């Protein structure tokens, strides 16, 4: 049966009919808000490359996070900018580290929020790489297995501070297994792991490196993050993390990788997150500031597309804005 019997426009005639046949419904419960935390008190420093986003201190991040439940946003993820960086990124696993302090402050102010801790070393190392670096020939190499030991320590320290979910983003081989073992070994069987299983070496992280003050001092991350050209490899990465005990998988970035997101979701069926990264946020903000695109419409369209592709939830800097847009 074809035209003129079939006329798809019949189901687009009014907002009410469109609402009845809509396949994807976005809700504030789909969002996780990322926050950057630095030492101090009363801080709320604008991030130049991400208009509308701030570096907070533990007290102010707790206030900002505490506004989310009323908007219907159930979770946050924390990134830390430590007092001091060193070769091993020891600020990541310090008991009184910046993220550990922020987790405690948020848990006190908003006990019902799901608190995720990003687990990576690039914000904490003097060289800006995501783990322990060794010299090799005239270049360098990220020492995978030495990094795993520090990863395990960091996960336990974040869980002890009160993190509900540990989210390793370093793309170290074996990181999920090392974290699961360490958490279980310290009586934290109930702490979940959201693995950044599929993380590409992406130019879309540009604004984040400014926000987290973590650009690599030499080289780039392409020896550990994935080549944007690879989709089959994403399934192999995700399969390893499932085997190692990941509770949830993540694909990052989101918008340029919707095909990968759809296939990871279809293949594994685990709760699957997408990280709509700093560059995705900032390009919408920048175009909106120039008057070239409508921020609300573009933002909601992109988030709907990410959900349509298979995301169960979305880490997005538009979380609070989008929750308000949806409520309005
Ligand atoms: C740390 C990390 C990065 C992001 C999240 N965790 C930066 C990177 O890998 O270079 C990027 C997030 C964003 O751009 O919003 N490894």
């Amino acid at each position: 049966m074809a035209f003129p019997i079939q006329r798809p426009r019949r189901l687009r005639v009014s907002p009410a009919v469109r609402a009845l046949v809509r396949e994807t419904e976005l809700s504030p419960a789909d969002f996780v808000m990322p926050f950057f935390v630095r030492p101090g008190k009363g801080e709320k420093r604008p991030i130049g490359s991400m208009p509308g986003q701030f570096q907070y201190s533990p007290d102010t991040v707790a206030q900002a996070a505490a506004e989310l439940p009323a908007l219907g946003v159930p979770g946050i993820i924390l990134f830390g900018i430590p007092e001091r960086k060193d070769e091993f990124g020891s600020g990541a696993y310090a008991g009184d580290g910046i993220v550990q302090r922020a987790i405690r402050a948020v848990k006190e102010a908003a006990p019902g929020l799901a608190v995720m801790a990003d687990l990576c070393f690039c914000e904490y190392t003097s060289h800006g790489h995501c783990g322990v670096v060794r010299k090799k020939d005239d270049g360098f190499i990220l020492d995978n297995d030495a990094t795993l030991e520090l990863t395990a320590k960091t996960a336990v320290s974040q869980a002890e501070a009160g993190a509900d979910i540990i989210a390793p983003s370093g793309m170290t081989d074996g990181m999920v297994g090392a974290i699961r073992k360490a958490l279980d070994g310290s009586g934290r069987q109930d702490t979940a792991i959201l693995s950044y299983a599929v993380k590409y070496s992406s130019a879309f992280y540009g604004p984040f490196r400014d926000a987290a003050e973590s650009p690599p001092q030499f080289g780039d991350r392409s020896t550990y993050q994935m080549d944007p050209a690879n989709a089959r490899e994403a399934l192999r990465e995700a399969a390893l993390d499932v085997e190692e005990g990941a509770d949830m998988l993540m694909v990052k970035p989101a918008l340029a990788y919707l095909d990968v997101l759809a296939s990871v979701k279809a293949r594994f069926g685990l709760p699957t997150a997408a990280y709509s990264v700093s560059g995705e946020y900032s390009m919408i903000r920048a175009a909106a500031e120039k008057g070239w695109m409508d921020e609300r419409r573009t933002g909601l369209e992109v988030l709907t597309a990410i959900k349509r592709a298979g995301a169960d939830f979305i880490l997005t800097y538009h979380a609070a804005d989008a929750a308000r847009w949806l409520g309005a």
Side-chain angles (χ1 to χ4, degrees), residues 71-301:
L71 292 170
V73 175
I76 67 165
I77 184 160
L78 292 168
F79 294 92
I81 303 146
E83 279 88 353
R84 260 166 275 98
K85 302 186 188 234
D86 60 33
E87 207 183 327
F88 297 103
S90 63
Y93 47 84
D96 63 347
I98 183 64
V99 157
Q100 287 80 354
R101 292 192 321 261
I103 294 168
R104 288 191 197 99
V106 169
K107 276 287 168 190
E108 202 177 308
L113 267 180
V115 175
M116 308 182 180
D118 179 82
L119 199 176
C120 194
F121 296 97
C122 57
E123 300 106 275
Y124 302 92
T125 50
S126 43
H127 44 71
H129 281 286
C130 301
V132 179
V133 159
R134 305 238 182 266
K135 283 204 179 318
K136 188 191 169 206
D137 306 328
D138 47 356
F140 73 98
I141 185 89
L142 193 91
D143 186 333
N144 193 86
D145 298 12
T147 302
L148 286 181
E149 285 173 37
L150 303 185
T151 300
K153 263 167 91 162
T154 305
V156 171
S157 152
Q158 291 173 336
E160 275 170 0
D164 302 292
I165 298 167
I166 308 297
S169 65
M171 290 301 280
T172 324
D173 293 337
M175 65 185 184
V176 171
I179 292 171
R180 188 69 272 156
K181 190 168 158 225
L183 289 174
D184 290 357
S186 63
R188 302 270 165 192
Q189 292 87 348
D190 293 333
T191 306
I193 302 174
L194 165 61
S195 178
Y196 288 67
V198 181
K199 178 172 174 180
Y200 288 93
S201 181
S202 172
F204 284 98
Y205 308 148
F208 176 94
R209 288 171 189 177
D210 192 19
E213 301 180 9
S214 62
Q217 300 301 307
F218 48 84
D220 61 25
R221 307 208 205 286
S222 51
T223 65
Y224 42 101
Q225 297 181 348
M226 283 179 57
D227 182 339
N230 294 359
R232 291 191 300 273
E233 186 188 357
L235 297 176
R236 295 198 294 275
E237 274 282 2
L240 288 170
D241 287 5
V242 172
E243 240 176 76
E244 289 174 30
D247 299 286
M248 302 183 277
L249 300 171
M250 179 143 67
V251 173
K252 175 185 172 192
L255 191 51
Y257 299 88
L258 295 184
D259 56 331
V260 176
L261 173 61
S263 55
V264 167
K265 179 63 177 296
R267 172 78 64 98
F268 301 101
L270 248 61
T272 306
Y275 198 140
S276 184
V277 300
S278 55
E280 300 178 52
Y281 170 83
S282 293
M283 69 185 177
I284 293 176
R285 284 293 300 212
E289 279 180 8
K290 284 188 172 286
W292 293 345
M293 291 201 298
D294 181 84
E295 182 176 13
R296 176 189 161 136
R297 287 192 55 205
T298 314
L300 289 176
E301 181 177 332

